[in-house]
Amino acid sequence: MKQSSYLATPSGKPRARSFGIPFDGTPGPNNAITDVPGVSVGYTTLISGDGPLVVGKGPMRTGVTAILPRPVDDLVLPVFAGMFSQNGDGELTGSHLIEEFGAFNFPITITNTHSCGVTRDATLRWMQKRHPDALDDGWALPVAGETYDGFLNDINGHHVTFEHVFSALDAAGGGAIEEGSVGGGTGMITFGFKAGSGTASRVVEWAGSRYTVGVFVQSNFGTRTNLTIRGVRAGPELAEPAIREGTARAEKSSIIGIVATDAPFLSHQMKRLAKRVPLGVALTGGYGYTSSGDIFLAFTTANAEAARGKAGALSQARFIPDTDINPFFDAVVQATEEAILNALVANEDMTGRDGNFVPALPRDWLTQRFG
């Protein structure tokens, strides 16, 4: 029997499995990145105003997403990590640190392109209040990612504030989480349909132990004709309903993908997992076009003491050998594909600035094809 959290978000929005779309692999209890113990997600969503764009006033269709890799009390503790840029037309702060040390600490935030610096700086303020010594003892280089929402949102109005970031960080929790037009994904578009925030997870059994791989995407990429759902070339069948463009064109696009796991891996292995996210993107019809910032980060909550290290002492880490990593590659690809489709399915039509309109993926079509 399918768990209810597999079929709907906490607010009752449908997920991809509710339409009978078949997926490979075994999900965790909530089919979400939060199935990885200690990982939590919070949102602030900003939706207000209609009609013509007035820069600084709206309409607003934006927000911020916060992903905490460890519980609040442990956020100074680094996590082993790796990142991969399939196409670098985008931003992920802290990436040079991750490339150099294979680790990061502090929360991750994802928002719109013009608010990326705000969420990064607000994270430092938030951490300073909760861990007064954190900016001295830890790396004060938070991870902040972005995708472009200027087709629907007053992106040049800079509506995301420190307080909005604080709210998302404070709201971060585990269990089932919302998807679709929430948080940083509020104004995002995928394959010409309304998309945004999506997540999924997979359980991997290895050597008598069960590990979880969770993926979260802020999905804002793709051309309608390329949309593929579990091998069905859906794009050619779904020319309508179409985007309606007023004063702007829906051309800029990106996807940020975050992979979390509790499996014991080293930094180079986390980079290898990050490199498999584009394969899940490709299964949905994403081809890494030149205007798309396709940037992916993977981290593990395992080996906490080794990640922290201690001056003058030998650190020890346990890890699954590379010869046995393939099932975890499968999990990343499977969860990425489903997370993107969840972001599409858990959505409604949206009209934004200047009457620009983005339709939702038609649910009657999904029912006919998969139900």
Side-chain angles (χ1 to χ4, degrees), residues 81-96 98-99 146 253-259 270-279 281 287-298:
M83 60 140 323
F84 177 65
S85 172
Q86 181 193 18
N87 193 62
D89 192 4
E91 179 63 276
L92 189 76
T93 70
S95 57
H96 294 291
I98 295 166
E99 284 289 281
E146 54 74 33
S253 60
S254 294
I255 179 170
I256 298 292
I258 308 296
V259 179
M270 299 318 301
K271 185 166 188 174
R272 298 189 73 197
L273 291 184
K275 286 182 175 181
R276 271 61 189 181
V277 178
L279 300 178
V281 175
Y287 300 154
Y289 286 163
T290 188
S291 65
S292 189
D294 303 342
I295 304 174
F296 312 111
L297 170 68

Side-chain angles (χ1 to χ4, degrees), residues 3 37 45 58 62 159 209 259 271 293 337:
Q3 299 190 38
T45 301
T62 194
H159 295 285
S209 296
V259 179
K271 185 166 188 174
E337 178 190 21

